[in-house]
Amino acid sequence: MVARTARIPPQGTTLQGNDMMHSRVRIRLLAACFAFSSLAATAGQPIPAEVLARTPAIQSVSMSTDGKNLVALVVAPGGKDGDTALASWDLDHIDAGSRITPSGDRMKFVSASALKADRILVIARQEWTGQLGGCGEGKRTGATKTFVFKTYLTDGSHKKFDEAFAAKSSKIDMPEDMRRCLELAGTASLANPLPLDPDNVIIRQLDPGSMVSNYLLYNLRSGESKLLFKGGGRSEPGLFDPRTGELLTRTQLEPVGGGEYEQQVLIRDPESNQFVVHPNLTRKLSERYTVDIVGRDERSGKFYVLTDLFSDKVQAWLYDPATRTFEDEPLLAHPKYSISRLIFGRQPSDFGRILGFAVDGPQVEVTYIDPRMQAIQALLEKNFPAQSVMITGYDDGLGKVLFTTSSHRDPPAYHLLLDRKRIVSLGSRLPSFKPEWVGEQRWVEYRARDGMTIPAILDLPAGWTPAQGPLPAIVHPHGGPWSRDYMGWDVSGWVPFLTSRGYAVLRPQYRGSTGLGRALWLAGDAEWGQKMQDDLDDGAAWLVQQGIADTRREAIFGYSYGGFAAAAAVVRPNGPFQCAIAGAPVTDLAKLGWSWSENRLQRILQGRTVKGMDPMQNTGKASIPVLLFVGDRDVRTPAFHAEGFYKAVKDKVPAKFALVPDMPHSMPWYPRQQLQALGLIEAFLEHDCNLKG
């Protein structure tokens, strides 16, 4: 790991050479009360691509549970394309500013988090080219370009970066292929922070000898560890006691015949100290019920379970391990949406108590039932009207509260509430972004042709009214497909980029999407390019029916699974779209079958649902122009999918293909990669699709 700590000069001076001294950066103080003027949206102001492509000014912000330290990633002072730096604050001297350490020349920081014991966890990556040696994502497809990720531990001084949680046995002599395998696959990660323990955390560590993952109690100060759970076989750990680290529950995968598996849930019996199977929590994998044990009530010994066993949506229930039964009524339930999490206290004064809960609605909505947290949430929402406020950290006594604000018009910004009297702004991800560039956002629903209700997010250009007439429109399916979109800020930047250029954007939560009910999720099984695709076509028809879109000016743009959907639209007869943009698409379902996932459970669970219309088997039916782009370091949907489809259709329809240098599948991307992608999208829609007439 090569990292250097730069001196940040006073305002108006120039950073010279490689000055290695530590310095401090001032942060801006805000008053406790704010006055916000109304935003007058103005049409005709395209967002500059450079604004959206920029490396976030601040990201990955966290506070240690003891309230002593704050950590973030920031733009490296004087850095080049995509360079990041580690920033940390001493919260007892917050006005003194932050310590800044840029990434190394090759290994770039991509995330960071504040731990206890004055430790900071940092994840970095660098490009790697060569044979994968049977390791990591992409090993099944013959990929030779990927990224190496490494996890490091440092402290507030940033003087030394040690590989985090490294197993002592990794020092032994081993074949070069195995050593490279370990580097690519990663050897350790944080599993549980144990917030009350001043020194220890739980880590997941890969055993170099057996290549299985063990779970250990790890001392951050001494580096010593103690085995808690030995990996291997078909068993995985579940809930660890957040006080002691003792394993309370685990799961076990057992074959039950006919290629079917049963996921058994076992709970430790406090008298015999043995794990016992609980049939009421055990289900067949193919049934795909959610049974997530998320906590334990220390007084009664009952477990908090998030499950959809009794409803289409996930509810919170109490389960008694002594009687092996659920209570008669759910603890928490929402009539329309799932309960996504329970918020447990993590400080000595509130540890283990339920402080609130989150509902997985159009956007995640947090409700606090604890009076102190209720009051703070209300105070913050009053200071930041029309924005979503999310508390992400606090100390015992609530003298220091870390929170994030955002909306679909406002990029995430990070703040501290100190002594419930003043707010310190740490900054916005995109400080040059103007909210008036963004128009209206709505949560809508429409009926698919078979009667199923499809939720969707509709984004409109700033200043548009129906009196101005229909718009050119983009149907924009999400990736996954076992995923979903939320209202609020679009991290990809694609939606505001398009709406600011005059397009309406519809994001259907098509069947197969998760988080919006089990019925919608299961309805997508084996319907790739079929009923899942009908939902997208029906969304395009709905836009026309509502007077929002012109039937002659609609396109489809998606990435990952969304890229598959765009490729499928190219070869589906009588579709509603004039053109398609497929980013990092899957186009060949036959090849996807043998490269589906590195995770065995996911291969069993999801792999069998990947069936339907295969675009590569139907390229002779191509009927609309298509742009395909993918990164040359994408090991999740390798370039052969996009390039093979392009070669098969380029003589039948206008087609373009772009291979983006050094771009992985998932963000973060370097600014140059996002600029290239945005440029490709804009030019294709305007010139090849001619959507604006």
Side-chain angles (χ1 to χ4, degrees):
M1 173 66 186
V2 179
R4 60 189 187 277
T5 303
R7 177 187 292 277
I8 309 305
Q11 187 173 6
T13 65
T14 303
L15 183 67
Q16 298 183 7
N18 291 317
D19 193 340
M20 306 295 285
M21 297 292 290
H22 295 297
S23 187
R24 303 285 180 177
V25 179
R26 279 281 173 188
I27 55 181
R28 185 165 54 95
L29 302 183
L30 302 182
C33 294
F34 300 82
F36 286 80
S37 59
S38 60
L39 298 174
T42 306
Q45 298 182 22
I47 301 171
E50 293 79 6
V51 171
L52 293 169
R54 222 164 261 155
T55 300
I58 184 170
Q59 59 182 313
S60 196
V61 184
S62 65
M63 186 173 76
S64 60
T65 53
D66 57 18
K68 293 181 179 180
N69 300 298
L70 186 75
V71 166
L73 293 185
V74 297
V75 173
K80 54 184 180 180
D81 183 42
D83 280 358
T84 53
L86 174 66
S88 62
W89 290 258
D90 178 348
L91 288 181
D92 290 329
H93 304 90
I94 183 67
D95 294 340
S98 62
R99 184 178 297 275
I100 304 285
T101 300
S103 300
D105 294 332
R106 297 182 64 193
M107 188 69 77
K108 306 297 183 183
F109 297 139
V110 293
S111 71
S113 57
L115 302 180
K116 57 208 171 187
D118 191 33
R119 295 296 189 272
I120 299 170
L121 190 70
V122 190
I123 298 176
R125 76 176 187 191
Q126 73 177 52
E127 294 91 349
W128 191 90
T129 302
Q131 294 300 319
L132 299 191
C135 282
E137 193 173 16
K139 68 182 181 183
R140 297 171 183 270
T141 59
T144 58
K145 286 188 173 185
T146 185
F147 285 83
V148 173
F149 288 83
K150 285 189 177 292
T151 306
Y152 296 95
L153 277 175
T154 187
D155 59 21
S157 72
H158 303 186
K159 289 181 179 178
K160 186 179 180 183
F161 288 77
D162 295 316
E163 190 171 347
F165 320 134
K168 293 180 180 179
S169 56
S170 66
K171 310 288 185 186
I172 63 174
D173 291 336
M174 62 179 67
E176 184 59 31
D177 285 353
M178 181 177 291
R179 189 175 300 280
R180 181 171 70 245
C181 178
L182 291 172
E183 289 181 354
L184 293 172
T187 58
S189 59
L190 182 68
N192 191 308
L194 297 180
L196 283 192
D197 190 315
D199 302 319
N200 294 295
V201 295
I202 298 175
I203 64 168
R204 173 186 173 272
Q205 190 179 84
L206 190 68
D207 185 326
S210 63
M211 297 299 288
V212 299
S213 293
N214 299 324
Y215 289 76
L216 302 97
L217 190 69
Y218 183 91
N219 190 293
L220 290 168
R221 299 183 192 274
S222 68
E224 295 179 352
S225 60
K226 172 187 174 183
L227 182 66
L228 297 175
F229 179 85
K230 188 172 181 60
R234 295 186 292 266
S235 185
E236 290 290 334
L239 182 70
F240 289 95
D241 188 318
R243 285 188 187 272
T244 66
E246 178 188 31
L247 185 62
L248 301 175
T249 73
R250 64 181 178 87
T251 60
Q252 188 165 294
L253 201 63
E254 291 292 341
V256 291
E260 181 65 85
Y261 287 84
E262 184 178 74
Q263 186 159 4
Q264 299 176 345
V265 177
L266 299 88
I267 297 178
R268 185 187 294 275
D269 185 303
E271 294 183 1
S272 67
N273 209 33
Q274 299 297 310
F275 281 96
V276 179
V277 175
H278 283 245
N280 281 345
L281 300 175
T282 296
R283 290 294 185 274
K284 292 180 180 179
L285 269 185
S286 61
E287 294 175 335
R288 298 219 305 276
Y289 283 105
T290 297
V291 182
D292 189 7
I293 301 177
V294 296
R296 182 180 63 163
D297 179 60
E298 294 183 321
R299 289 176 297 178
S300 67
K302 296 178 181 179
F303 287 92
Y304 298 105
V305 183
L306 296 181
T307 184
D308 54 6
L309 286 171
F310 312 107
S311 168
D312 181 59
K313 307 299 189 294
V314 172
Q315 303 169 325
W317 288 77
L318 269 174
Y319 177 82
D320 188 342
T323 61
R324 303 190 186 186
T325 58
F326 286 96
E327 293 197 343
D328 293 336
E329 298 290 336
L331 181 68
L332 284 169
H334 190 279
K336 193 168 183 179
Y337 302 110
S338 290
I339 306 296
S340 61
R341 67 185 175 102
L342 302 179
I343 302 171
F344 293 98
R346 55 193 183 198
Q347 295 293 343
S349 61
D350 60 19
F351 194 79
R353 289 197 292 110
I354 294 181
L355 305 182
F357 59 92
V359 174
D360 232 0
Q363 58 185 359
V364 177
E365 182 179 342
V366 171
T367 300
Y368 285 103
I369 58 177
D370 176 81
R372 297 188 311 160
M373 299 298 284
Q374 274 183 346
I376 287 178
Q377 182 78 10
L379 171 67
L380 298 178
E381 288 177 351
K382 182 178 180 181
N383 279 281
F384 294 90
Q387 294 201 52
S388 172
V389 176
M390 192 71 65
I391 295 172
T392 58
Y394 63 95
D395 68 347
D396 205 15
L398 297 172
K400 301 165 188 170
V401 178
L402 176 66
F403 65 99
T404 304
T405 58
S406 66
S407 74
H408 75 285
R409 290 189 173 101
D410 299 278
Y414 306 92
H415 318 268
L416 279 168
L417 174 66
L418 299 177
D419 301 321
R420 310 189 200 188
K421 294 178 180 178
R422 65 171 180 150
I423 292 175
V424 177
S425 175
L426 301 168
S428 166
R429 283 178 61 97
L430 298 175
S432 58
F433 191 90
K434 298 178 182 179
E436 58 265 29
W437 282 332
V438 181
E440 183 183 358
Q441 185 176 88
R442 305 175 190 167
W443 183 261
V444 300
E445 293 180 344
Y446 61 88
R447 291 280 184 179
R449 63 192 67 183
D450 64 357
M452 178 165 275
T453 299
I454 307 299
I457 300 171
L458 173 66
D459 287 87
L460 298 167
W464 180 81
T465 64
Q468 296 172 353
L471 294 161
I474 312 294
V475 172
H476 185 40
H478 60 73
W482 287 5
S483 180
R484 61 157 292 186
D485 293 310
Y486 291 90
M487 294 181 70
W489 180 252
D490 172 36
V491 176
S492 73
W494 295 331
V495 173
F497 181 80
L498 292 168
T499 58
S500 73
R501 282 156 174 75
Y503 300 100
V505 178
L506 184 73
R507 288 178 278 175
Q509 308 309 294
Y510 50 83
R511 68 194 73 200
S513 301
T514 56
L516 292 162
R518 192 161 170 271
L520 184 71
W521 182 27
L522 296 177
D525 288 5
E527 291 292 349
W528 286 47
Q530 297 173 161
K531 289 184 179 179
M532 294 168 76
Q533 201 74 18
D534 291 345
D535 295 344
L536 308 180
D537 291 359
D538 295 343
W542 178 85
L543 286 170
V544 174
Q545 294 164 7
Q546 299 299 308
I548 295 168
D550 181 341
T551 187
R552 298 164 299 174
R553 297 188 296 161
E554 291 187 292
I556 182 171
F557 161 44
Y559 190 86
S560 196
Y561 172 83
F564 164 86
V570 174
V571 301
R572 289 232 317 177
N574 305 313
F577 303 113
Q578 277 61 62
C579 66
I581 300 176
V586 168
T587 63
D588 192 326
L589 294 189
K591 288 185 178 179
L592 181 65
W594 48 261
S595 64
W596 174 245
S597 173
E598 298 304 304
N599 184 284
R600 183 187 181 204
L601 263 182
Q602 190 176 9
R603 288 199 302 274
I604 296 171
L605 197 61
Q606 191 172 8
R608 65 181 61 179
T609 71
V610 184
K611 298 176 182 177
M613 189 272 288
D614 190 333
M616 277 301 293
Q617 300 302 314
N618 290 275
T619 53
K621 301 175 184 176
S623 60
I624 59 175
V626 60
L627 163 68
L628 303 109
F629 69 93
V630 63
D632 69 357
R633 292 188 184 274
D634 189 332
V635 294
R636 185 162 301 165
T637 55
F640 65 72
H641 282 283
E643 189 170 14
F645 189 79
Y646 161 74
K647 290 178 178 178
V649 303
K650 65 183 178 65
D651 294 329
K652 303 174 181 65
V653 295
K656 291 184 175 180
F657 169 73
L659 188 63
V660 183
D662 290 329
M663 191 174 83
H665 186 81
S666 302
M667 293 180 176
W669 294 344
Y670 294 122
R672 67 178 184 271
Q673 296 160 346
Q674 179 74 310
L675 278 173
Q676 183 176 350
L678 292 174
L680 289 167
I681 293 166
E682 181 176 25
F684 188 78
L685 290 174
E686 188 167 340
H687 302 301
D688 296 83
C689 297
N690 195 29
L691 287 196
K692 293 185 177 180

